[in-house]
Each structure stands twice: as structure tokens, then as C-alpha cells.
Amino acid sequence: MFLDTAFLKNDEIQLLLEKTVDGDEKRNWVPAYHFIISSPNGAEMGKCDLRIGYNDNLYYGGHIGYTVFPEYRGNHYAGKACLLLFQLARKHNMEYLYITCNPDNYASRKTCEYAGGKLLEITELPEGNDMRDDGEFEKCIYEFTL
């Protein structure tokens, strides 16, 4: 199920596979890759992950998550990581992805726009969604056609 990821690099960043996680049908989770966003010389600049497959939870939770460490922000590294992850998603025959963020997370919204996302809606999370337990109630839903 999981594929080789050595190709996930460009002149500025490389995605180093940290781990893979099998899906969990009981929790309605799909399989996922977890990466370290690294410079070509090995400096860790952040993390990202890609969830493979489709289910209702991913509309609100997204297929890709990312964080860039504060000292590396402002260089579009999250957006560049997304563009690399799109290549891996295509190898899994995925045709589209969602990335979601909180409406007040302007840096993440800019990342989604940088990576070519289309804002579908800003919507309230449904009752019972796990993210509500963390105090989140709304999400911006961006769609990316692969």
C-alpha cells in the first residue's frame, strides 16, 4: 500500500519519511504518511503528512497537514511541501485533495492559495466531529484538483 517516497524533493526542500500509519476502520481513519520537511543539507524545518483515501471525515480534517517551525516561516515551505505531496497522492490514483484550516489561520490560508487551492466554503464542523473536542467549530475547506 505505501510507496517509495525518495522522489519527494526539489532544490529547496526534501520530505523525509518519518513513519507510515495504517488506517483504522473503527475510527474511520485512512492510511497516512508522516514526513519531516528538511533542507537539502538536513536541517529540520517542519513536518507534514498525507492521508490516503476518501471518507467523510477528510472533508473537514483534510488530506494534508503541515507545520513549519517559526524560524523557517515566510518561505512558502508548507506550500512547496504540499506540491510535492500532490505527486505522491497522484501515484495513489487520487484525483483531488482537501486541505482545511481555521478561518483565522491566515498563514495556512495563504499556503492553500499558494498551492493552487480553491476555497469551497467556510463551514461549521458537524456535531460529533473530533475537532470540536479541541475547541474548533469552523473550517475553511480548500479543494485541489490533481
Side-chain angles (χ1 to χ4, degrees):
M1 159 94 220
F2 293 104
L3 305 175
D4 177 54
T5 61
F7 68 95
L8 296 175
K9 58 186 170 184
N10 61 31
D11 292 341
E12 294 180 80
I13 65 169
Q14 57 186 341
L15 303 184
L16 304 175
L17 184 63
E18 187 174 37
K19 66 181 177 179
T20 57
V21 179
D22 292 329
D24 183 338
E25 286 186 39
K26 289 180 183 175
R27 297 174 86 176
N28 204 20
W29 289 1
V30 297
Y33 294 86
H34 293 261
F35 297 94
I36 294 167
I37 303 170
S38 170
S39 69
N41 69 3
E44 290 188 19
M45 302 185 300
K47 295 184 179 244
C48 62
D49 58 77
L50 172 66
R51 296 176 274 286
I52 301 299
Y54 298 102
N55 66 27
D56 292 341
N57 286 346
L58 289 170
Y59 183 76
Y60 299 100
H63 288 95
I64 292 177
Y66 45 77
T67 187
V68 174
F69 302 144
E71 61 270 29
Y72 296 104
R73 292 180 182 160
N75 297 292
H76 299 293
Y77 292 141
K80 292 170 184 174
C82 289
L83 295 174
L84 292 173
L85 292 174
F86 294 167
Q87 295 176 39
L88 181 57
R90 282 187 202 98
K91 288 183 177 278
H92 280 281
N93 298 313
M94 296 181 73
E95 296 179 4
Y96 64 91
L97 298 175
Y98 297 119
I99 298 178
T100 69
C101 63
N102 292 338
D104 62 351
N105 187 340
Y106 298 107
S108 191
R109 292 179 75 168
K110 286 174 73 173
T111 293
C112 289
E113 292 166 9
Y114 173 89
K118 175 186 173 193
L119 179 62
L120 296 181
E121 65 175 331
I122 299 174
T123 187
E124 186 175 329
L125 290 171
E127 293 294 329
N129 185 286
D130 292 356
M131 290 180 281
R132 282 181 168 267
D133 296 341
D134 297 329
E136 299 180 33
F137 297 96
E138 275 189 317
K139 288 291 174 182
C140 295
I141 313 290
Y142 287 87
E143 182 178 53
F144 299 80
T145 302
L146 303 178

